[in-house]
Amino acid sequence: METTDRNLATRPVRLLAVLAALWVGGPAAAGDPAPGPLESWLDAEVGAAMERDRVPGLVIAIVRPDGVPVLRGYGRADVEDEIPMDPERTVLPVASVSKLYTAATVLELAADGRLDLDADVTGYVDGLAFRGAPSSPVTLRHLLTHTAGLDERNLGRYLPLDLSDTSVRDYLLASMPPRIRPPGVVYQYSNHGMALAGLVAEEAAGVPFPDLVAARVHEPLGMTRSSFDPAAPRGATGYADVDGVLTPQAPHYVRTAYSGMMVSSAADQVRMLRELLRPGVLDAATIDGLTSPRFRHGEESPGTAFGAFEGLWAGRSYWWHEGQTRGFYAGLYVVPEAGLGLFVAYNRHHGATAHRLLRALLERELGPHGPESSLRPSREPTEALAERIEGTYRFVRHAHTTRELFFASMLGRAAEVTVRREDDGAFRVAHARFVHSRDLVLVEPGIGAVNGFLAGNDGRARFLYYARSAFERIPWYARETVRDGWIALSTICLLYT
């Protein structure tokens, strides 16, 4: 079991005590001015969300077109020690929101001419060599959009936070996942890929990555409580619900640290939100790279920027990144067209609270969501289309070649989706009904959700994409149910022979 000086893992806290403390030391203290309409609305929304999701403490920042931020803290950063969440001072892990800052650092160096986004990254890091068949080079453009074609790897990526083995360079050179497909084909989220982008920046600048981010992003923006240094102090305890008991979680070190180990405060994140909405400090090309699409599976699908993802609401694009780590969750969102930004972080490991608050804010400020696309059904026959797209598809983010493939049943299954044509010519995709719109694109009637397909040289679909997620077509014998049957049969044979 991982331990710290305070032995967090042995300090369970009953949920009832946490919920009773939610509003103690909350957003308003005696003598504070009365909250405005947005603050009052936010207090009610956050209070309801925290009670529903059993969140011990939360900080939130909102930036609107008038430029005046709303900063609020709720509940406890540490329940046992009764430390309140303070949006100005409480420092929390932001997990994969770190990737936005990794990308910004790379883009700042590219703006200076010190990095080329389209150069082979092996030319920047001595000793770096990818295993795997694809021969075309991997570039920073691929790494920053998660399209490098790298396999998935998680075993051995987490360590106790004892700071005894923090060389990201050594880890990546020894443990970089192999390439499993040519770069630039499909999106497959990669912690290793983004960490490698950070390592490339470190090598090019000749400066340790935490110091490089500080010099190129944090300090210019005035972010005084943000750091990638694994020794940076944290001001909150993370919690997980274990059998109805809210249990403190021991902090850990992630060996792909350049893509997920930043800590920050809500007040610091206001400075990044403002910069993303009204650039003026970082290079204009950096902000454009963080808030405009650099990869799409299809013209009707949301895009991937450098270090951020596109969402759609009421016909407008917003750009976001979320992150989770042991006992914490964080999310950053900006709607450039509306001048609206949101940051939320809390000490509970799940995304439901952030998603509720994001939807509530977008509906309040921008109106109802509306359909996801304007595509209309086609009247063309779909028999020939069915021959090209029917089959089973598996979520691409799973181990293909690493040793984790062997432990797939124990580590968790990759989602599988079956596509089949129905008698009336519509298609059943998982549990939803879609109709043909055009080419290799299906649309969900009334909702506007889109499924698209990427075909191989034979004209048959190789990949299914929904929004940003991609699924690869698999043969019948590779399905989870078939594999489980073989495992069960093999086990029986071993037991009785």
Side-chain angles (χ1 to χ4, degrees):
M1 177 182 292
E2 297 177 6
T3 59
T4 66
D5 291 340
R6 300 178 65 191
N7 199 17
L8 293 178
T10 62
R11 294 168 46 221
V13 181
R14 290 288 169 184
L15 287 172
L16 183 60
V18 174
L19 296 176
L22 281 178
W23 294 103
V24 179
D32 285 349
L38 177 59
E39 289 86 347
S40 297
W41 171 86
L42 188 61
D43 291 347
E45 288 288 337
V46 171
M50 290 177 67
E51 183 173 5
R52 184 188 303 112
D53 300 329
R54 298 183 294 185
V55 173
L58 180 148
V59 289
I60 193 167
I62 297 174
V63 172
R64 294 199 295 175
D66 61 12
V68 179
V70 173
L71 271 171
R72 310 289 270 181
Y74 303 87
R76 300 301 195 194
D78 186 290
V79 176
E80 185 181 73
D81 293 342
E82 298 187 353
I83 300 173
M85 278 286 192
D86 186 326
E88 296 277 356
R89 298 179 178 83
T90 301
V91 174
L92 306 94
V94 299
S96 283
V97 175
S98 306
K99 291 177 172 64
L100 185 86
Y101 291 83
T102 302
T105 303
V106 169
L107 294 174
E108 285 292 286
L109 293 180
D112 288 350
R114 301 172 73 178
L115 288 175
D116 182 346
L117 299 182
D118 297 304
D120 187 336
V121 294
T122 60
Y124 289 108
V125 182
D126 289 342
L128 174 64
F130 293 101
R131 292 181 292 117
S135 58
S136 52
V138 171
T139 69
L140 284 167
R141 188 177 301 276
H142 298 134
L143 296 176
L144 296 179
T145 55
H146 300 277
T147 59
L150 299 175
D151 203 355
E152 177 72 354
R153 169 170 282 156
N154 267 310
L155 288 177
R157 200 165 66 89
Y158 298 90
L159 297 172
L161 191 60
D162 59 8
L163 308 181
S164 62
D165 183 11
T166 59
S167 173
V168 174
R169 188 183 199 281
D170 290 349
Y171 170 73
L172 290 178
L173 292 185
S175 303
M176 179 61 61
R179 299 172 61 186
I180 54 175
R181 65 177 64 90
V185 176
V186 294
Y187 164 93
Q188 180 178 335
Y189 191 88
S190 176
N191 288 297
H192 289 81
M194 191 64 74
L196 178 56
L199 177 61
V200 168
E202 178 180 82
E203 296 280 307
V207 177
F209 185 73
D211 297 338
L212 180 61
V213 181
R216 299 309 303 258
V217 180
H218 291 158
E219 291 172 7
L221 293 178
M223 300 176 69
T224 60
R225 296 181 183 273
S226 300
S227 178
F228 269 88
D229 185 344
R234 303 182 183 196
T237 298
Y239 295 89
D241 183 358
V242 180
D243 297 327
V245 177
L246 205 63
T247 304
Q249 300 296 291
H252 61 276
Y253 177 75
V254 184
R255 300 180 79 179
T256 51
Y258 296 172
S259 69
M261 280 291 288
M262 195 177 97
V263 297
S264 189
S265 68
D268 269 11
Q269 293 302 309
V270 166
R271 298 177 182 275
M272 176 55 90
L273 292 173
R274 283 173 166 166
E275 180 67 12
L276 292 170
L277 295 170
R278 291 177 290 277
V281 177
L282 303 181
D283 193 276
T286 297
I287 303 303
D288 185 60
L290 298 173
T291 58
S292 62
R294 302 295 162 156
F295 176 82
R296 295 184 190 274
H297 287 122
E299 62 182 70
E300 67 291 321
S301 65
T304 300
F306 293 141
F309 311 120
E310 184 181 22
L312 300 172
W313 188 279
R316 303 186 191 189
S317 293
Y318 65 90
W319 298 92
W320 63 275
H321 210 302
E322 296 174 345
Q324 58 183 3
T325 189
R326 185 171 297 172
F328 293 95
Y329 201 92
L332 182 148
Y333 318 86
V334 291
V335 192
E337 185 180 344
L340 180 67
L342 167 68
F343 173 78
V344 59
Y346 44 92
N347 50 355
R348 178 79 195 280
H349 179 151
H350 65 75
T353 308
H355 300 157
R356 295 184 205 282
L357 295 175
L358 172 66
R359 288 194 297 268
L361 179 66
L362 292 178
E363 185 161 340
R364 182 183 192 274
E365 298 294 317
L366 304 181
H369 182 280
E372 294 185 25
S373 78
S374 59
L375 294 178
R376 296 291 179 262
S378 165
R379 298 183 179 276
E380 297 178 5
T382 58
E383 289 85 352
L385 177 64
E387 293 182 5
R388 300 176 65 190
I389 68 174
E390 279 188 322
T392 300
Y393 299 77
R394 179 178 295 158
F395 186 45
V396 296
R397 194 184 177 192
H398 69 93
H400 295 70
T401 62
T402 64
R403 67 179 183 265
E404 293 177 36
L405 180 61
F406 179 77
F407 299 104
S409 294
M410 292 177 284
L411 293 174
R413 301 172 182 273
E416 290 184 0
V417 173
T418 298
V419 178
R420 61 178 176 84
R421 183 180 179 272
E422 300 189 319
D423 292 340
D424 63 356
F427 290 86
R428 183 69 57 177
V429 182
H431 302 294
R433 178 180 165 86
F434 287 76
V435 296
H436 181 228
S437 176
R438 58 175 177 76
D439 302 325
L440 292 177
V441 176
L442 307 179
V443 62
E444 186 176 6
I447 305 296
V450 172
N451 279 317
F453 299 84
L454 303 176
N457 293 332
D458 61 359
R460 299 183 75 239
R462 290 182 57 210
F463 297 97
L464 157 70
Y465 61 85
Y466 173 73
R468 194 181 58 263
S469 298
F471 298 74
E472 58 192 333
R473 192 180 201 138
I474 59 174
W476 67 268
Y477 54 80
R479 297 175 186 172
E480 297 278 6
T481 53
V482 175
R483 187 199 65 190
D484 290 349
W486 280 113
I487 292 174
L489 180 60
S490 299
T491 302
I492 292 172
C493 292
L494 287 173
L495 290 173
Y496 291 95
T497 56

